[in-house]
Amino acid sequence: MTILVTGGAGFIGGNFVLDWVATQQEKVINLDALTYAGNLETLASLKNNPQHVFVKGDIGDRTLLDALLATHRPRAVINFAAESHVDRSIHGPGDFIQTNVVGTFTLLEAVRGYWQSLDDAEKQAFRFLHVSTDEVYGTLSADAPAFTEQHPYEPNSPYSASKAASDHLVRAWHHTYGLPVLTTNCSNNYGPFHFPEKLIPLVILNALAGKPLPIYGDGQQIRDWLFVKDHCSAIRRVLEAGRLGETYNVGGWNEKANLDVVKTICSLLDQMKPREDGQSYEGQITFVTDRPGHDRRYAIDARKLERELGWKPAETFESGIRKTVAWYLENITWTSNVTSGNYRNWVEKHYG
């Protein structure tokens, strides 16, 4: 038995592949275009492991997709491949439309052709699982109930709009063609191997480097934080037992303001890697101009996933963030390699 994972060298996809090989017996075909956020060093522990086959390529390459599906005959496709950073989508939305919309369409069409070629038993067993985000739902006021699967789509950035479009394509391919799909919409992930353009790894690395810790606006934007290993276990559970055509929200039940997240990281670093001058890392916090259209609050109601499939997160924010800070302190080589060149240039341009 084999599964095909797209975007499996990125943050969430890479963690999923690592956990899959550690917990399952099935082979993984890992397709990733290795854009700036894709990193084979994340998968270094799988080198020469016959259970993992890496293929460099794009989900927009129909010829490659057809060949991979015909050769490896996966019983499931899990789609992580996406451009995923709001700030980058504001500066260059075209890449997000190309990958998240056109790429998802191309992948769906390739998978549909492959699925239709299967015998009846294989068709019944096949699954296409699309990994998406809570940002498609828009923003919430401070006292509004959390996003459920019935919440209307109200995306506010080029990134979230492109992911909303991909979600709608997946839904349409199920209802129009009968493709056996599942969709997950997750809250903000954090954990090992996170590319340091995102808040938590950016703050950790800037703190250690003695640089400012940039916080947009007043820092009171609220997010629900989900440890990436919990997210991976939720995806495995949905793949195993989710109802076809259904969406499952995946959240950590950890609503935190960005400023509180940064202060928690500073406190942990004060304990685990104190500054030489004895001062707290909080002194490096710097407030910067808010980004355009910055959503104020996200919150996920993950009760459907718990009720139907028995899943809930294993980590609290306190346990997960401690593990995350420790991982970055222990993996300086990984972080230094991914923060070179183009990444440094982008951060300098974006944050000044």
Side-chain angles (χ1 to χ4, degrees):
M1 303 291 283
T2 300
I3 64 168
L4 171 63
V5 171
T6 68
F11 167 46
I12 304 173
N15 274 283
F16 180 85
V17 168
L18 291 169
D19 288 356
W20 185 271
V21 172
T23 61
Q24 311 294 317
Q25 300 302 312
E26 290 180 77
K27 179 181 287 189
V28 180
I29 310 303
N30 184 354
L31 175 66
D32 197 292
L34 294 181
T35 58
Y36 73 94
N39 184 7
L40 283 179
E41 288 192 40
T42 299
L43 306 168
S45 64
L46 301 182
K47 188 176 182 180
N48 301 321
N49 187 325
Q51 195 180 342
H52 176 247
V53 177
F54 180 78
V55 179
K56 185 179 185 296
D58 197 293
I59 60 170
D61 185 341
R62 177 63 187 270
T63 301
L64 175 60
L65 292 173
D66 288 343
L68 287 176
L69 292 166
T71 299
H72 298 285
R73 299 184 62 80
R75 61 102 179 173
V77 174
I78 300 94
N79 181 34
F80 293 96
E83 296 284 347
S84 65
H85 193 225
V86 174
D87 291 341
R88 286 181 183 268
S89 80
I90 293 170
H91 291 289
D95 289 343
F96 289 73
I97 303 303
Q98 190 62 43
T99 297
N100 299 352
V101 183
V102 179
T104 299
F105 160 74
T106 305
L107 178 61
L108 282 166
E109 279 292 85
V111 169
R112 180 167 72 95
Y114 165 71
W115 173 71
Q116 290 175 333
S117 74
L118 300 176
D119 64 35
D120 288 344
E122 291 172 325
K123 275 187 177 179
Q124 290 293 322
F126 183 82
R127 298 290 184 269
F128 178 93
L129 194 154
H130 176 65
V131 180
S132 191
T133 171
D134 60 355
E135 297 193 36
V136 298
Y137 298 127
T139 189
L140 291 169
S141 62
D143 57 352
F147 298 130
T148 69
E149 291 80 359
Q150 283 71 46
H151 196 281
Y153 274 36
E154 298 176 316
N156 291 320
S157 71
Y159 161 58
S160 57
S162 68
K163 286 299 289 184
S166 71
D167 292 7
H168 291 320
L169 288 173
V170 171
R171 174 186 169 86
W173 260 241
H174 173 68
H175 286 277
T176 301
Y177 304 112
L179 191 68
V181 307
L182 300 155
T183 298
T184 57
N185 292 86
C186 69
S187 57
N188 279 39
N189 279 227
Y190 69 99
F193 301 109
H194 203 177
F195 193 76
E197 65 186 355
K198 302 295 178 75
L199 177 67
I200 288 176
L202 178 71
V203 166
I204 295 170
L205 298 184
N206 274 19
L208 295 174
K211 297 178 180 178
L213 310 181
I215 298 180
Y216 282 131
D218 61 5
Q220 293 307 307
Q221 301 87 1
I222 292 172
R223 300 294 182 261
D224 172 32
W225 292 95
L226 174 66
F227 191 61
V228 66
K229 301 293 185 179
D230 281 333
H231 186 195
C232 293
S233 72
I235 292 170
R236 292 196 301 273
R237 182 59 183 149
V238 172
L239 181 65
E240 176 185 47
R243 289 188 289 130
L244 294 185
E246 290 291 314
T247 294
Y248 294 91
N249 283 351
V250 187
W253 300 105
N254 291 304
E255 287 190 57
K256 303 284 182 184
N258 286 347
L259 182 58
D260 292 335
V261 170
V262 174
K263 287 184 175 180
T264 297
I265 293 169
C266 290
S267 177
L268 288 169
L269 287 172
D270 288 342
Q271 301 168 35
M272 301 162 76
K273 187 75 171 178
R275 280 176 35 164
E276 291 184 1
D277 62 5
Q279 300 298 306
S280 172
Y281 287 97
E282 279 195 30
Q284 295 168 228
I285 290 176
T286 304
F287 293 93
V288 299
T289 303
D290 209 352
R291 71 180 176 210
H294 199 176
D295 290 338
R296 195 64 173 172
R297 173 177 170 244
Y298 304 144
I300 280 283
D301 183 335
R303 286 180 294 181
K304 176 180 176 180
L305 183 53
E306 182 175 358
R307 181 177 65 250
E308 292 192 9
L309 303 182
W311 178 91
K312 56 184 178 180
E315 300 289 347
T316 64
F317 182 74
E318 289 70 27
S319 65
I321 194 65
R322 180 173 287 275
K323 289 180 179 180
T324 300
V325 172
W327 186 88
Y328 278 92
L329 290 174
E330 294 164 4
N331 289 272
I332 297 301
T333 299
W334 184 90
T335 56
S336 63
N337 288 344
V338 302
T339 54
S340 61
N342 290 337
Y343 168 75
R344 278 206 302 263
N345 295 337
W346 185 86
V347 170
E348 179 64 27
K349 176 182 177 181
H350 187 73
Y351 292 112

